[in-house]
Amino acid sequence: MIKKYNIELEGQFDFYESYLKLIDKNLSIDCVLSDNTDGVLNGNLLEFKLHINDLNAVLFQAIKYLSARRIKGKPIPANIILISLNDGKAYIYNSEDYIDNIETVYLGSASKDNSGFIGGHPSQELYYVENSYDEAILISLLRQNKFTKIHIDENCIVGWASSYYKQNPEARKSDFIGDLTGKVKIIGEIRKPDKFKDYIYPYEGATNTKFQYLMDKLNDYMQKKNLGAFYTPKQYAKKSLELVREAIKRVPKDNDYIILDRCAGTGILELDLTDEEKEHTVLSTIEYYEYKVLLEVLGDKVRYIIPPTEKEDTFNRGLVRGADALSKEYIENPVIKKYLDNPKCTIILFENPPYAESN
Ligand SMILES: C[S@@+](CC[C@H](N)C(=O)[O-])C[C@H]1O[C@@H](n2cnc3c(N)ncnc32)[C@H](O)[C@@H]1O
């Protein structure tokens, strides 16, 4: 006999009461409920309704939950299980078949605006209350620990980075995003997944330029603490450029000038400089992977980057040797010194520094 519920939560509770102990007796309902979903149990996302009228709409709701999980850097269960409580029926879908939808970003609540979605047929329909064979299949599905691999992109890399550092607190940025370009050949997790081998496809991009705006958020714990790196908003860059242009107007007629950014990150402050202004720009930054993006994005456009090419010893435990703006070595860098000592050169500092040196 199928029990009829008036309240969805009651049915959901009974379901877990019956099955959780068969899956893992240590699991409680609280362990299963996560991120506003009706439950993630091993490699299964569950969604309960008293009665499912529009299967596609409920499927779409589940897909939106999976989309949110990808963005948060959480594994995507291979099975989507939609339960129509008062029919004692479970509809099973393979999340793999909906990977394009899962890799889309949705705004707003997952439970709203779902009608109109057209999905395929469920891979299985199980009458788990009335048919004991179907119930056995459902139990074995709930025990499965399979996941659907996703692609790393700008929308989800920060989520996966924080999952990675949370699980590997000692890991460095190179362990996560290292690539084969440049002198340091550390292939990071995104390019050769190890910890996440069941969850993500290798990222195919040769460099990390695609993540130019996110490099600060991809730093490991130690770098985050030490560098105070944060992304410079475009509006900030635009507004401050007005001041730089005021300064350029004041450069004495016969003078050369340089625009110096010693903590340029990935060069977002410089994006709107004209070609002419870029030719007067000298850049550096201390963090190695930012430096590599900086070289790639602006290397052929600006006057100079410190260091202009990567040497065998440039990588110095995640930092760029010679690029510490607060070091004596920096002031003594012959290129910097040449400009500092030249009375016919005006130096315009254009920086968004994280450091405070009150002395
Ligand atoms: C607030 S962010 C500026 C971001 C940059 N404007 C951009 O658009 O990407 C500060 C930057 O300074 C770098 N930094 C921190 N300490 C530094 C130091 N001692 N010398 C040089 N750069 C440093 C950080 O790595 C970070 O990229």
Side-chain angles (χ1 to χ4, degrees):
M1 247 268 292
I2 300 173
K3 183 171 169 185
K4 302 290 175 191
Y5 295 96
N6 292 317
I7 299 169
E8 190 184 296
L9 212 61
E10 239 175 64
Q12 184 181 342
F13 192 84
D14 277 0
F15 182 94
Y16 285 131
E17 270 288 294
S18 314
Y19 292 113
L20 274 189
K21 52 182 176 283
L22 300 173
I23 312 305
D24 178 349
K25 65 177 181 323
N26 298 315
L27 278 179
S28 69
I29 295 184
D30 287 343
C31 306
V32 174
L33 300 179
S34 67
D35 302 318
N36 300 321
T37 69
D38 286 351
V40 173
L41 177 52
N42 294 323
N44 304 282
L45 176 96
L46 291 104
E47 179 58 36
F48 294 86
K49 297 286 177 218
L50 285 176
H51 172 70
I52 297 182
N53 287 318
D54 181 348
L55 200 49
N56 279 321
V58 185
L59 173 62
F60 195 28
Q61 181 179 350
I63 286 172
K64 287 180 179 174
Y65 288 135
L66 295 182
S67 158
R69 281 181 73 83
R70 181 182 81 105
I71 293 166
K72 287 180 190 153
K74 295 185 174 181
I76 303 302
N79 304 319
I80 299 172
I81 305 186
L82 310 180
I83 310 263
S84 189
L85 289 162
N86 288 344
D87 303 302
K89 191 169 176 185
Y91 300 88
I92 318 297
Y93 291 86
N94 301 324
S95 61
E96 174 96 63
D97 298 338
Y98 297 93
I99 187 68
D100 289 346
N101 305 92
I102 292 168
E103 292 189 342
T104 300
V105 176
Y106 302 97
L107 300 175
S109 160
S111 57
K112 299 216 166 79
D113 302 325
N114 291 329
S115 57
F117 178 76
I118 300 172
H121 294 292
S123 62
Q124 300 185 73
E125 297 186 18
L126 304 173
Y127 291 91
Y128 65 95
V129 177
E130 294 187 312
N131 181 327
S132 54
Y133 181 75
D134 281 5
E135 187 180 32
I137 295 178
L138 180 65
I139 293 169
S140 70
L141 282 175
L142 294 175
R143 287 177 177 160
Q144 269 183 14
N145 236 324
K146 291 198 189 130
F147 296 89
T148 289
K149 286 188 200 174
I150 56 90
H151 297 93
I152 292 288
D153 64 16
E154 306 91 301
N155 296 313
C156 70
I157 190 166
V158 174
W160 287 95
S162 56
S163 296
Y164 183 74
Y165 296 130
K166 208 176 282 167
Q167 289 170 34
N168 310 283
E170 303 296 313
R172 303 305 311 263
K173 194 176 191 178
S174 49
D175 300 323
F176 185 64
I177 61 162
D179 59 47
L180 282 176
T181 65
K183 303 283 177 204
V184 180
K185 313 281 187 210
I186 300 174
I187 311 182
E189 179 74 20
I190 59 167
R191 293 191 166 80
K192 198 165 185 268
D194 172 37
K195 309 270 186 229
F196 294 158
K197 65 179 183 309
D198 296 329
Y199 310 145
I200 66 174
Y201 287 112
Y203 177 66
E204 307 277 353
T207 69
N208 295 309
T209 310
K210 210 152 182 227
F211 310 125
Q212 178 184 12
Y213 292 99
L214 303 167
M215 288 306 266
D216 52 350
K217 301 201 171 61
L218 301 179
N219 283 339
D220 56 65
Y221 289 153
M222 202 141 83
Q223 264 163 336
K224 273 206 180 103
K225 216 165 86 194
N226 292 341
L227 295 182
F230 55 88
Y231 158 65
T232 302
K234 278 190 190 163
Q235 274 312 102
Y236 178 107
K238 260 196 169 47
K239 200 72 198 154
S240 52
L241 186 53
E242 291 173 15
L243 297 176
V244 172
R245 292 194 170 134
E246 286 301 314
I248 295 174
K249 280 191 210 148
R250 291 191 213 164
V251 174
K253 202 165 141 285
D254 297 327
N255 266 25
D256 181 20
Y257 71 92
I258 61 160
I259 301 168
L260 178 62
D261 184 352
R262 297 167 299 166
C263 49
T266 55
I268 289 152
L269 270 188
E270 285 71 33
L271 285 183
D272 288 333
L273 294 177
T274 61
D275 289 351
E276 158 77 13
E277 287 160 349
K278 283 187 186 128
E279 277 165 24
H280 286 269
T281 299
V282 176
L283 301 175
S284 56
T285 199
I286 202 169
E287 200 278 317
Y288 176 75
Y289 286 97
E290 287 178 353
Y291 163 72
K292 291 218 312 176
V293 172
L294 197 62
L295 265 187
E296 190 174 336
V297 176
L298 286 164
D300 59 347
K301 300 188 177 65
V302 296
R303 186 173 294 188
Y304 197 70
I305 292 183
I306 300 173
T309 57
E310 190 188 347
K311 309 283 184 311
E312 293 303 326
D313 65 348
T314 298
F315 180 87
N316 182 17
R317 288 191 290 171
L319 302 183
V320 177
R321 197 179 296 278
D324 180 356
L326 300 180
S327 65
K328 189 154 179 277
E329 183 189 11
Y330 192 91
I331 307 287
E332 287 169 355
N333 180 301
V335 177
I336 294 293
K337 208 163 162 37
K338 184 185 84 183
Y339 291 118
L340 286 179
D341 292 346
N342 180 359
K344 300 295 276 175
C345 180
T346 303
I347 295 171
I348 301 168
L349 287 175
F350 183 31
E351 310 183 324
N352 180 12
Y355 39 78
E357 178 49 282
S358 50
N359 296 321

